[in-house]
Amino acid sequence: GFPSAKNDAISPQKFTFEDFFNFYKNLTQRSEIEKIFEELCGSSKRKLMTAPQLVDFLNQMQRDPRLNEILHPYANPARSKDLISQYEPNKYNAARAQLSLDGFLRYLMSEDNPIMATSKIDLADDMDQPLAHYFINSSHNTYLTGHQLTGKSSVEIYRQCLLAGCRCVELDFWNGRTEEPVIVHGYTFVPEISAREVIEAIAESAFKTSDYPVILSFENHCNPRQQAKIAQYCRDYFGDMLLDTPLDSHQLEPGIHLPPPSLLRRKIIIKNKKKHHKKSVASGKVATGNGDVPHAPIRQGSKDSNPDDEDNDEDDSSSSGEEEEEGASVTEMKMQLQEKPPDKVSTTKETEAVAEISALVNYVQPVHFTSFEVSEKKNRYYEMSSFDEKQATT
């Protein structure tokens, strides 16, 4: 039925701040912290930490042994009592130099117990290093709102991710049945969403929260004609925000570092396999494709397949544990369709269409990982690979 009681309220006399605080603590209970606290307190019935116990905790558990003892002296009872008086909410406990669980939690979440050295915090504002020097807030299978096999997809989730500060989102493109590309989790029961609407949503939300660059990670399963539409949508909706050519100061050459985020403000970078023209030794004709990744089955419902299909991006070719597990779980859903080869008239147009989307790719080019030695020899900072630990160490 219709929702009711939406405007009901509880009077402050019946639901005091103390009641709210206890309600909040029950919702956000930290059982692992409680266990540590009880171990530190020992056999105390009241479960209060004394000043000497806090000193032991600070010196034996929290202190970084690499710190210089002169510059960073050990905690002493005086320091312990200062912390208790500052963070213990119960005045009676604070007067007796005892710390409750609430006070312990407040200390752990305070600026006196930072997760990183305070001297490093200022570096967060240094955005003049090469792009590859940063951890990038990224999203995998961005379009999913739930289960990756039977859940739902949403255009809105792209807006929410970008507004939350995400700087890299994933778009899985497949051939649409009406010649319009769609985004969907292939070989699953997840419903598809319009690729055009997703691109439009990204254009609207990309830089609402941050001006720093956004990377669009394309997993491209489309035929050349629908790839051409994707490229055109990117140009139409992104406009000047689309970084379709390298900066003059940072060309795509071996040994040249990537540009820093400060030079890429309000720019959208496309991550997609780059098509390189190669001459065929046998026929002398020019062929396109990088030959890194084998072709995958055609998606059910696809009208055309791409001769240089991009459906296996570098994540697929890495044979990571996550992808193998996911692939195994959906194997029964995959279907292969027989398709007649394209005629000669359409071949030329399709090759040109593939080049259109490839022309948008510059600073983030996924390639097949061979070895660290090969990558070091190439010295191309604009190439990247995905792989698991096992592959990296063999």
Side-chain angles (χ1 to χ4, degrees):
F2 292 104
S4 59
K6 294 176 67 175
N7 296 320
D8 288 358
I10 304 176
S11 66
Q13 289 76 20
K14 293 183 178 179
F15 191 62
T16 64
F17 177 79
E18 188 67 26
D19 295 329
F20 167 77
F21 185 66
N22 291 330
F23 175 67
Y24 174 78
K25 285 197 299 182
N26 289 331
L27 286 179
T28 58
Q29 191 173 9
R30 296 290 300 274
S31 56
E32 74 281 8
I33 301 297
E34 291 182 19
K35 183 179 179 181
I36 295 173
F37 184 75
E38 291 176 1
E39 291 175 353
L40 293 172
C41 293
S43 58
S44 173
K45 293 183 179 180
R46 294 191 61 199
K47 299 302 178 184
L48 294 171
M49 185 185 297
T50 64
Q53 288 173 333
L54 181 57
V55 170
D56 292 339
F57 170 74
L58 295 174
N59 291 333
Q60 297 176 15
M61 300 184 68
Q62 291 297 91
R63 180 181 173 81
D64 187 341
R66 298 169 298 179
L67 294 177
N68 183 285
E69 296 181 15
I70 298 177
L71 298 177
H72 303 276
Y74 282 90
N76 53 35
R79 171 61 175 164
S80 175
K81 291 178 181 179
D82 288 341
L83 291 175
I84 292 175
S85 63
Q86 183 176 357
Y87 295 108
E88 174 54 47
N90 187 299
K91 295 181 179 180
Y92 178 78
N93 292 337
R96 301 184 61 183
Q98 293 178 326
L99 190 67
S100 65
L101 176 61
D102 287 341
F104 186 61
L105 278 170
R106 292 187 181 194
Y107 163 69
L108 292 181
M109 301 298 292
S110 72
E111 294 181 356
D112 285 315
N113 188 54
I115 195 172
M116 60 185 295
T118 53
S119 60
K120 301 290 185 181
I121 294 178
D122 293 336
L123 294 179
D125 295 327
D126 179 8
M127 304 304 286
D128 294 321
Q129 305 299 317
L131 186 63
H133 289 195
Y134 296 87
F135 289 102
I136 300 176
N137 188 352
S138 304
S139 168
H140 178 63
N141 288 346
T142 308
Y143 46 88
L144 294 177
T145 62
H147 197 282
Q148 65 176 352
L149 299 181
T150 59
K152 296 185 180 300
S153 303
S154 170
V155 175
E156 179 62 23
I157 203 68
Y158 282 91
R159 291 189 179 92
Q160 296 302 321
C161 284
L162 293 168
L163 292 175
C166 190
R167 296 292 87 188
C168 178
V169 295
E170 184 179 22
L171 297 87
D172 288 358
F173 292 112
W174 292 83
N175 292 325
R177 294 175 178 83
T178 60
E179 291 300 320
E180 280 292 326
V182 296
I183 290 179
V184 67
H185 203 201
Y187 311 122
T188 70
F189 297 112
V190 175
E192 60 193 33
I193 55 178
S194 166
R196 180 186 59 79
E197 292 181 7
V198 168
I199 292 173
E200 182 179 9
I202 292 173
E204 294 173 354
S205 310
F207 303 110
K208 295 288 187 181
T209 299
S210 171
D211 282 343
Y212 290 117
V214 169
I215 299 173
L216 304 185
S217 179
F218 286 6
E219 184 176 316
N220 204 328
H221 304 253
C222 291
N223 61 49
R225 287 191 296 275
Q226 296 197 32
Q227 283 190 53
K229 287 192 173 184
I230 295 170
Q232 191 58 48
Y233 291 151
C234 288
R235 294 188 183 277
D236 291 344
Y237 286 104
F238 298 152
D240 293 338
M241 294 186 295
L242 180 63
L243 186 69
D244 56 357
T245 55
L247 303 181
D248 293 337
S249 58
H250 294 78
Q251 293 295 311
L252 300 180
E253 299 175 0
I256 302 297
H257 280 280
L258 297 180
S262 58
L263 292 181
L264 297 171
R265 288 177 179 270
R266 300 187 66 82
K267 288 298 182 182
I268 294 177
I269 302 172
I270 303 298
K271 169 178 170 274
N272 190 89
K273 281 198 175 293
K274 186 82 170 177
K275 294 295 182 182
H276 300 285
H277 294 279
K278 299 186 295 185
K279 288 187 176 181
S280 173
V281 178
S283 62
K285 296 180 180 180
V286 176
T288 60
N290 50 26
D292 290 333
V293 184
H295 301 288
I298 305 167
R299 177 176 175 266
Q300 183 182 6
S302 299
K303 188 174 180 181
D304 300 280
S305 65
N306 177 11
D308 288 317
D309 202 342
E310 306 209 29
D311 58 357
N312 281 350
D313 67 0
E314 84 294 340
D315 294 320
D316 297 320
S317 65
S318 67
S319 66
S320 66
E322 178 185 349
E323 295 297 332
E324 287 180 357
E325 181 179 350
E326 178 181 320
S329 63
V330 299
T331 300
E332 296 180 357
M333 302 179 193
K334 296 183 178 180
M335 296 182 62
Q336 295 187 15
L337 303 178
Q338 295 296 326
E339 179 192 33
K340 62 181 181 180
D343 53 61
K344 294 182 180 180
V345 176
S346 64
T347 301
T348 304
K349 294 182 180 179
E350 290 177 351
T351 301
E352 293 173 354
V354 171
E356 287 183 25
I357 199 167
S358 180
L360 306 182
V361 182
N362 39 70
Y363 287 128
V364 189
Q365 300 183 22
V367 297
H368 178 69
F369 177 75
T370 304
S371 67
F372 288 113
E373 290 76 18
V374 171
S375 298
E376 186 176 14
K377 184 177 180 181
K378 289 183 177 179
N379 199 25
R380 297 170 182 168
Y381 290 99
Y382 53 87
E383 292 184 345
M384 57 87 64
S385 303
S386 296
F387 47 82
D388 59 16
E389 292 85 351
K390 182 178 180 181
Q391 186 179 8
T393 56
T394 54

